[in-house]
Every structure is written in structure tokens, then in C-alpha cells.
Amino acid sequence: MDTSAIFPCWAFIIMCLITVDFTSSETIAEELVTVSETDTLASSDSESSSCGCDSLKRDGVVSIDRETSLLSDQAAVKYSKKANDGMEVSQGYNQDLYIPDKMVLIPAGEFLMGTDNPEIPQDGEGPQRRVHLEQFYMDIHEVSNQEFQKFVNATSYVTEAEKFGDSFVFEGLLSEAVKKQISQAVAAAPWWLPVKGADWRHPEGPDSTITDRLDHPVLHVSWSDADAYCTWAGKRLPTEAEWEYACRGGLDNRLFPWGNKLHPKGQHYANLWQGEFPSQNTGEDGYTQTSPVMSFPANGYGLYNMVGNAWEWTSDWWIVHHTSDELHNPKGPETGTDRVKKGGSYMCHKSYCYRYRCAARSQNTPDSSASNLGFRCVSKNER
Ligand SMILES: *[C@@H]1O[C@H](CO)[C@@H](O)[C@H](O)[C@H]1NC(C)=O
Ligand SMILES: [Ca+2]
Ligand SMILES: [Ca+2]
């Protein structure tokens, strides 16, 4: 059986031609990614729509030469927690604001899903179609580390990242000690490294912890982990339509949950990336990594961080061709290989991953996990 596949990417012309044979680890070892720093930085300057986020498949990693890897040690220091200590205060975030397990009613209604002016057409952002939804309740924020910890305490649940023994972490977040041990990367997005021992309790690998960020979104949870959590909580994952309707916060035809301007009155409304991706994150919005789940203003329905902070899994299988027919409570295709995720993350920048829009979307295989991917749940009744 021929299981070779070509990585989807649009800007990395050099890397687009890398074919990985999933059946042979020797072949993978031969597909050395030899991208010079200059090449990579040049391509990040160009208009690009791929953050490589959809390439996070455990069997899709290739060997890399650490000597020629794209990010210098210097860049890693810039991202390090130590270097950014003291930055996470500028939003006036109030610790007391954090409320676990709270949901809000999203009223029944109709809305225009998707867009006829897609920024990233290959993601299937269009066509715009009228969708009717019944009312539902939604978590006001991404599921936090504390909430997930409660679930694991109660059930002894083991996540897929823990079973596989690794998960994807953005290179800029890793310590030197962890980076030294890694010899593989994602061909289409070499700043993603599979890190042994990275999981929800250790977001940047074995030498990291969540004790100082229990009110941040849980990360390194696969679709199956997210589904298990929601089921345990008496909830479920939102459909893509529910998520997008909720994201729009009652506004028609706007880019973001709060309107069309990214920085109304000069304020940051979401945890995104400022600076040059992937080499420099200025943290102008107060955060170079995740932020607490109730930081930044809520949208019209009272939902926090729908765009930015952590990507959020939905229950839909991924397809890019949609009917323009009017739909009632659509649940996506019956089957598929990838699940839809929405909202973008703290790693998204307009030049690179303009996916912090309500109509934007991306996908991962259901067993994928990464340092920028989380979720929230919905339910028919308030919990
Ligand atoms: C989970 O259990 C640990 C160990 O007993 C405890 O310290 C922690 O507070 C518990 N977490 C939650 C959210 O209940
Ligand atoms: Ca940020
Ligand atoms: Ca989010």
C-alpha cells in the first residue's frame, strides 16, 4: 500500500516537495530538512497562510539537523519564560476574575456561517451560508488546567500525549536541555518539535509545570481527550456551526468576535502574536504564551478568548467544500480523517496565520496534540 503523502503548505515551496513515506522510518531519516535560517525567515516575511498547525501528525515528523535548525539559541532565549517574566501583567488581569465551570446561554437563532471573502480560500472558509441553531449553553472560557486536573483526579484519565509519550511544542518555548534531545521536526513547519514527556501537566516538556498557570487553558489534549472531558462533565464538544455562531457574539458579518477592527481604541482584544513569526514575539498584548482563560474582554455573549490564546477543537470532521444551502443544526460530514479546530492561538499573526477570525478554520487528526491547542464544551442544559 502506498501511504506516502505530500505535506499541505503554500509558502514553503522548498518543503512542499518533501514526501514522507509513513511506512519506513529509514526513509524518514533520509528526508533531512535542511532549511537555512535565511530561507525560513525570508518565507515568513512573505504573505503566507500556513502556520503549519495542520501538519502536526506524529507520523509526519522528519529528522532535522540541529546545527542548521531555523531558530538560533538566541531566539529561544528571547522566548524563554525567564526573559519574559514580568510581562504578564499589562492587561490588568485580575486573578479573582477566574470562574471555573461557568456556562452562558447562547440563544437560538440564525446566522451567516463562513465568508464569501475568504482570506484563506483553501481552508474552505466559504461560501457564506445561512445556518439555524437551537439554543445551547457554552463554557464561557477555554477548559482550564484546573478543570482538567479535576477530571483527571476523578477518573485517572490518561491523555493520548501521555500514552504516546510525546507531544508537539513550539521550539521557541523549549529549554536548551529539552531542545538538545530532539532530532526531529515537522517538515512543513520546522518550529514544531515532538517533545518527549510533553503533556498537559508539562506543556514545554519534562522540566515544565502548570502549577503557576492553573487558570490557563489546558494544552496537549487530543480531540479524543477533549471529547472524553466534555462527556465526563455532562457536556459535549460544540459543532463548528455552534462554535462560529457563538464566536460572532450576535454581530453580523464581522471578522472578529468584537467587530472588524483588530485593535479598537488601540486595545488588544485577544492573545495573538505581535512581532515577526516565528523569530520574534514582542508580547505587546501582555503574553508571549497562553494567558489566563478569562483575560481580554468577553464578546457579546460573554465568551472569553474565542479567538486567540488556544485553538479549540470542534466535533465536526474536516472538509473544505460546503453547500451554500440553508442548514438547520448542521453537524458536519459523517466521517473523515481530521477534526475541525477554530479560533487560532497565541501563535497567530496576520502575516502568517490569519486564522483568529470567526470564519477561519483549520484541522488536525483526532490524536494530535500541541502546545497551542485546547477546547471548551457546550451542553443542552446549564450544568
Ligand atoms: C487534584 O489532586 C491533587 C492531589 O491530591 C490536588 O493537589 C489538586 O488540588 C486536585 N485538583 C483539583 C482541581 O481538584
Ligand atoms: Ca500574545
Ligand atoms: Ca481560543
Side-chain angles (χ1 to χ4, degrees), residues 270-274 281 283-289 296 346:
N271 183 7
L272 305 171
W273 182 292
Q274 294 88 39
N281 186 347
E284 192 188 289
D285 58 19
Y287 304 94
T288 55
Q289 302 188 37
F296 300 96
Y346 65 90

Side-chain angles (χ1 to χ4, degrees), residues 237-255:
L237 284 170
T239 64
E240 182 181 7
E242 286 169 337
W243 193 98
E244 186 170 327
Y245 176 59
C247 180
R248 294 177 179 281
L251 299 176
D252 281 338
N253 233 333
R254 298 293 198 281
L255 290 172

